[in-house]
Amino acid sequence: MSTNQKNKALDWGITIIGILAIAFLAGALIIANFFPKVPFSVVTGLRYGGFVAIALFVIGSGVQNKDFLKDMAGRRTTQNGANSLVLTIAVLAIIGLLNWFGTRYHHRADLTSNQQFSLSPQSKQIVKGLKDELKLTAFVRNGDQQGRQLKDLMAEYGYVTDKLKLEMIDPDREPGKVKLFFESHPTASQRANVLMVENAGKLTEAQGVTEQEITAAILKATQTKQLNVYFLTGHGELDMDGFQQEGMSQAKQSLEKQNYKVQKLSLFETKNTIPADCDVLVVAGPRQALMPQELKTVEEFVKKGGKLYAMLAPGANSGLEKLLSEYGITAENDLVVDPRANLFGDAAVPVVQTYPSHAITQGLRPTIYPAARSLTLGTAPSGVTVTSLAEASDMSFSKRNLKDRSADFNAAVDKKGPVKLAVAATTTASGSVKASRLLAVGNAQFVANGFYSGAGNGDFFVNSVNWLAEQDNLVSIPAKDNAPKQLFLTNQQQNTIFLATVAGAPAAMLFAGGFVWWRRRRS
C-alpha cells in the first residue's frame, strides 16, 4: 500500500471516529432527557464511549499531522504561545486548587466594628452543645431586607452546627405551605419575618431576627424550665414598665428576650415572702428604706442560696447596706467624682473604660454611671469571695461632703481613687444550701432607658443577671444592630481632639511656614 493510500485510509478512520464521538455523546444527551425509562448504565456507557472516541480522534489527528506540528513547534511564535498556554493552565490550576480547599476548609474574616456578620462565642457554645436536631421555620418575603439578614445569620449558625435544619417559606409564593404550617400549629402568630423553633413538637417563636433573639429562642426550645426575675417595688425603685427616661422598659425587654420571666414583687402583698421560684431578686435604686421585716426576708433569701442584684441610689439609705456589709461590701454615703474619665465634662458622671477580669465584663464596652456612690471592699467573711467589677479612673475620688457642690478634691475629707462602682460576691455551698451570689452597684440610673443602650450599660446589666442566675452560657451575648451609634467622649478625649484639630493643625502649619521662611532668609 502506497503512502498516499495509507494517508487516505487514516483520514477516513479519523473521520469515522469523530462521527462516532458525536453520535455517542448526542445519543447519551437525547436518552437522558427524553427516554427516562432507559437504564442509566446505557447513558453512562455512551458517554464513556464518546470520551474514548474523542481521545482517539485527537491522537489520530496528531499522528496524521505530525510533520505540520513539528514545523509549528519550531517557530518562535508557537513557543511563545505554548509558554502562555502553560502559564494560563498553571494559573487556572492554582485557582481551582484554592477553590477546592475553600470548599473543604471554610474560614472567613469579619472586619465590621461590632462583628455584625459573626456569631458571638456564647451563641457558638450553645448551638455546639445541641444534642437533638431542631427544625427552624422562617417566614420571609422575597426581597425583604430583614429576610436577607435572617438568611445570612442562619448561614452563620449552619457553619457551627448541623443540628439546625432551616426551611425558608415565602408567604406570597408558597401560601399552601403557610396554611399547612399554621393548621399544624394554631397558636403560632402569623406575621412576616418571624422564626419558629420546633423541638419534639414544642414550638417556640423568636422575638425577632437578631442573634440574641434567635439564640434565646433556641435556648427556650431546649430548656425545660423558665427562669424568673423579680423586681422589688414599694420603696421608690425605678419603674420596671416605665418607657420614659427614668423607666426600665428596655432592661425588661432584654431579659424577656433572654427567656426570663420578669415580674414585680411587693413584699407587702406577699406578706414578706419571696416566691420559691425566684431565681434573681433585683432591687433597683430604692429611695425609701425597706421595713425591718422586709430586710430580714431578703437576708434569709440570700443566706439560703438566693441571688440578689442591689442597685443603691446615692443619698438614700435603703437598709441593704447592712446586708452587703455582712458579705464584705461597704456602701459609702458619698458621690463618685472623676475629673479624667467622664461624660461631656461632667465629673459626676464617671465613665468606666477598663475592667477587672470577670465573666461579666469580658469584651464589655465603656459603661456610664451618673451620680453614683462608691463601694469599698472590707474583710470578707470565711467562705465569701468578693470581686471588683467596675472602677473609675485613678484620678477619681470619693466626695464625702455631699453639701459641697464643687468638683475639687478636698484632702481633709475626700478619699482618693480609683473608686469602685460595682462589686460581686459569692459564697461557698454548704451541704444542702446552695451558693449565694450578690451583685452591688452604687447607682441605678445606669440601667434606666436614658443610659441603657448608649454605651455598654445594657450589656453589663444583662450579663449581671445571667451571672446571678448561673446562666454562664448566656453571659455577654452582645446586641448587634445597624442603628446610629452615639459617641460618648470623656473630658480628656474632648481636650485631645480639640488640641489635635482646632489648635494643633494650624499651629503645625504656622511652625512649618516659619521654619521655611527662616531657612530662606539664612540662604
Side-chain angles (χ1 to χ4, degrees):
M1 184 180 290
S2 64
T3 302
N4 289 336
Q5 290 175 331
K6 290 180 179 179
N7 289 337
K8 187 177 289 187
L10 186 58
D11 287 340
W12 276 105
I14 293 172
T15 303
I16 292 171
I17 291 173
I19 294 172
L20 287 174
I22 295 173
F24 286 157
L25 293 177
L29 183 63
I30 292 171
I31 293 173
N33 287 278
F34 299 101
F35 300 95
K37 293 184 179 181
V38 175
F40 183 73
S41 58
V42 174
V43 178
T44 303
L46 289 174
R47 286 175 180 169
Y48 285 142
F51 295 148
V52 171
I54 289 174
L56 292 174
F57 179 84
V58 172
I59 295 172
S61 298
V63 173
Q64 182 71 356
N65 299 281
K66 61 181 182 296
D67 295 332
F68 173 76
L69 294 175
K70 184 177 181 181
D71 180 62
M72 286 290 295
R75 298 180 182 179
R76 182 179 297 275
T77 55
T78 303
Q79 293 176 353
N80 292 337
N83 291 336
S84 299
L85 179 62
V86 170
L87 182 60
T88 301
I89 293 174
V91 171
L92 292 175
I94 292 172
I95 294 174
L97 188 62
L98 291 174
N99 278 277
W100 183 83
F101 276 107
T103 58
R104 287 157 176 78
Y105 304 98
H106 176 79
H107 180 73
R108 299 185 304 164
D110 187 351
L111 303 181
T112 54
S113 61
N114 63 346
Q115 295 294 289
Q116 182 71 28
F117 304 105
S118 300
L119 294 182
S120 66
Q122 290 73 19
S123 289
K124 291 179 181 180
Q125 179 184 357
I126 290 168
V127 297
K128 281 181 179 179
L130 292 175
K131 298 180 180 179
D132 301 319
E133 184 177 292
L134 302 180
K135 180 182 178 182
L136 280 65
T137 306
F139 298 92
V140 180
R141 289 190 171 89
N142 187 38
D144 190 282
Q145 177 64 27
Q146 279 192 315
R148 288 193 293 268
Q149 293 176 356
L150 177 58
K151 288 181 181 180
D152 294 338
L153 185 57
M154 290 313 305
E156 294 295 332
Y157 282 97
Y159 294 136
V160 178
T161 181
D162 59 355
K163 296 293 186 182
L164 302 177
K165 302 303 179 183
L166 175 66
E167 180 182 9
M168 310 288 289
I169 299 177
D170 187 337
D172 297 329
R173 296 185 177 185
E174 302 171 292
K177 285 187 176 182
V178 175
K179 181 180 179 182
L180 182 62
F181 180 89
F182 287 109
E183 285 178 351
S184 303
H185 306 89
T187 60
S189 62
Q190 301 186 31
R191 56 188 179 90
N193 297 326
V194 64
L195 182 74
M196 306 287 185
V197 182
E198 188 173 354
N199 180 25
K202 175 187 176 183
L203 192 68
T204 303
E205 179 181 340
Q207 297 295 320
V209 293
T210 66
E211 178 192 345
Q212 281 184 314
E213 293 158 338
I214 293 175
T215 301
I218 292 172
L219 273 176
K220 187 175 181 180
T222 54
Q223 287 180 340
T224 57
K225 178 188 175 184
Q226 185 179 28
L227 300 178
N228 295 275
V229 177
Y230 284 86
F231 281 74
L232 192 66
T233 62
H235 314 89
E237 295 89 351
L238 296 184
D239 184 6
M240 182 183 76
D241 296 317
F243 288 91
Q244 69 280 8
Q245 294 290 306
E246 300 293 321
M248 295 181 64
S249 59
Q250 293 184 31
K252 177 185 177 183
Q253 292 169 6
S254 296
L255 292 180
E256 289 175 337
K257 290 177 180 179
Q258 295 274 326
N259 194 32
Y260 289 102
K261 185 176 181 181
V262 184
Q263 303 174 71
K264 293 182 179 181
L265 173 63
S266 170
L267 292 179
F268 176 77
E269 294 178 358
T270 62
K271 297 181 180 180
N272 292 315
T273 301
I274 296 177
D277 63 355
C278 178
D279 295 290
V280 178
L281 176 62
V282 180
V283 186
R287 290 290 176 179
Q288 292 86 39
L290 278 68
M291 299 295 291
Q293 187 58 42
E294 292 177 317
L295 289 171
K296 184 178 179 181
T297 300
V298 174
E299 182 179 357
E300 292 177 352
F301 168 75
V302 175
K303 286 183 177 180
K304 293 179 180 179
K307 313 300 187 292
L308 174 65
Y309 199 157
M311 306 177 196
L312 305 177
N317 181 20
S318 65
L320 294 174
E321 291 82 1
K322 181 178 181 299
L323 171 61
L324 294 175
S325 66
E326 296 177 1
Y327 293 87
I329 304 172
T330 301
E332 304 290 351
N333 185 25
D334 61 358
L335 180 68
V336 177
V337 177
D338 193 339
R340 170 182 290 175
N342 53 63
L343 185 63
F344 301 136
D346 188 347
V349 186
V351 177
V352 177
Q353 302 179 81
T354 58
Y355 304 89
S357 178
H358 195 275
I360 294 175
T361 57
Q362 289 185 8
L364 192 64
R365 295 178 294 162
T367 47
I368 305 168
Y369 303 87
R373 60 196 293 188
S374 69
L375 304 170
T376 56
L377 305 186
T379 303
S382 176
V384 177
T385 302
V386 185
T387 308
S388 175
L389 297 179
E391 300 177 0
S393 75
D394 54 4
M395 289 286 291
S396 64
F397 61 89
S398 165
K399 194 170 189 62
R400 301 299 175 91
N401 184 4
L402 298 180
K403 295 181 180 180
D404 182 3
R405 297 297 180 181
S406 70
D408 299 327
F409 177 73
N410 186 345
V413 181
D414 302 332
K415 183 179 180 181
K416 288 186 177 181
V419 179
K420 294 175 177 58
L421 295 162
V423 176
T426 57
T427 66
T428 304
S430 176
S432 59
V433 179
K434 298 180 180 179
S436 303
R437 290 189 178 187
L438 298 91
L439 198 149
V441 182
N443 174 264
Q445 291 295 325
F446 85 96
V447 79
N449 293 336
F451 292 93
Y452 190 82
S453 59
N457 292 23
D459 292 336
F460 178 79
F461 172 74
V462 174
N463 292 354
S464 301
V465 174
N466 286 331
W467 177 79
L468 287 167
E470 299 182 351
Q471 296 293 295
D472 296 336
N473 57 353
L474 267 179
V475 172
S476 188
I477 297 183
K480 299 176 184 178
D481 56 61
N482 294 318
K485 302 296 188 299
Q486 291 178 287
L487 179 62
F488 293 103
L489 297 177
T490 65
N491 193 40
Q492 182 182 17
Q493 291 170 334
Q494 293 180 64
N495 293 334
T496 302
I497 293 174
F498 175 81
L499 292 174
T501 57
V502 179
M509 294 177 65
L510 288 173
F511 176 79
F515 180 74
V516 172
W517 173 81
W518 178 74
R519 288 292 301 272
R520 286 181 176 177
R521 279 186 59 88
R522 293 198 59 179
S523 61

